[in-house]
Amino acid sequence: MILGLEFSDDVGPATIVTVSLAIVAIIGLYLTARSLKQTQNEIGLSRAAVKEAHRPVVVPFVDSGRTLTIASTLRLPARPNVPHPGLLVLPVKNIGPGPALQLEATIEGLDPAGERSGAWSGARTVGVVATTVGADEMTPLEIELSGVGEVPGFGLSLVYHDVAGKRWHTFARWIPNRDRYEDLAIQPDTISS
């Protein structure tokens, strides 16, 4: 007995053909299911590659050899600046291949050692500073802080969206004693949009 069929001595060619076709059909179904699963995996990988190809990566920018322009006439080195008392200017740059949408910035005062400080009475949201920051584009953040005469220590938080609607978060701390950003972290934002 094969496959639940009982053969007698007088098995005809039609029966053999029918059983053979059933076996071929089962093998064909198995191979089709396997091929479909492989195709779905490849589609998933392609989608991930497309998303990564359009992902923005916004970082605070420091390059004293480059300049940026604010207020249409004031040229500053591309680094944190206080061009006049009460105005802190921070350049940020999108180094990713895709545009950063709805960029929102928040800063928080830090002491000279890089620890939280109550100097500004907590975090200050700069707000949505640009609807889009294109790939390889630099944007100055202009922050009014009364009483600030030189670049203070601060934590900078940037939240932005990619073209697929996924939120990203960049964080860094500016340590004035070291004249650099530290603890740069870029990750998907865990707060739902």
Side-chain angles (χ1 to χ4, degrees):
M1 181 155 86
I2 298 176
L3 297 173
L5 298 174
E6 186 175 320
F7 289 98
S8 63
D9 291 336
D10 59 339
V11 174
T15 305
I16 293 173
V17 169
T18 302
V19 170
S20 298
L21 287 175
I23 291 170
V24 168
I26 291 170
I27 292 170
L29 284 172
Y30 170 76
L31 293 175
T32 301
R34 198 169 124 197
S35 176
L36 180 60
K37 183 174 176 103
Q38 181 179 359
T39 301
Q40 288 173 332
N41 289 341
E42 289 172 3
I43 289 171
L45 291 173
S46 294
R47 282 183 180 160
V50 167
K51 284 182 181 178
E52 194 64 28
H54 296 295
R55 177 182 164 207
V57 180
V58 181
V59 296
F61 191 74
V62 176
D63 182 353
S64 297
R66 293 182 62 180
T67 60
L68 60 105
T69 304
I70 64 168
S72 301
T73 58
L74 186 57
R75 295 183 57 80
L76 301 169
R79 58 181 296 107
N81 268 286
V82 176
H84 55 77
L87 179 63
L88 176 63
V89 177
L90 309 175
V92 296
K93 185 173 183 177
N94 181 2
I95 59 172
L101 309 174
Q102 301 169 350
L103 174 65
E104 185 174 326
T106 304
I107 61 170
E108 184 173 6
L110 300 178
D111 66 19
E115 300 299 322
R116 282 195 168 139
S117 166
W120 303 335
S121 304
R124 297 237 178 134
T125 299
V126 178
V128 176
V129 295
T131 55
T132 303
V133 180
D136 201 36
E137 186 176 298
M138 186 169 39
T139 299
L141 306 178
E142 298 180 34
I143 305 150
E144 292 186 29
L145 292 172
S146 61
V148 172
E150 58 186 49
V151 178
F154 58 87
L156 176 64
S157 173
L158 304 168
V159 177
Y160 45 96
H161 294 79
D162 63 20
V163 293
K166 186 173 185 178
R167 286 170 49 120
W168 294 91
H169 184 200
T170 300
F171 179 80
R173 294 181 314 140
W174 175 260
I175 311 299
N177 293 349
R178 298 182 194 129
D179 198 37
R180 66 179 184 215
Y181 284 100
E182 294 183 356
D183 302 328
L184 178 67
I186 304 166
Q187 60 195 20
D189 193 41
T190 56
I191 301 171
S192 60
S193 49

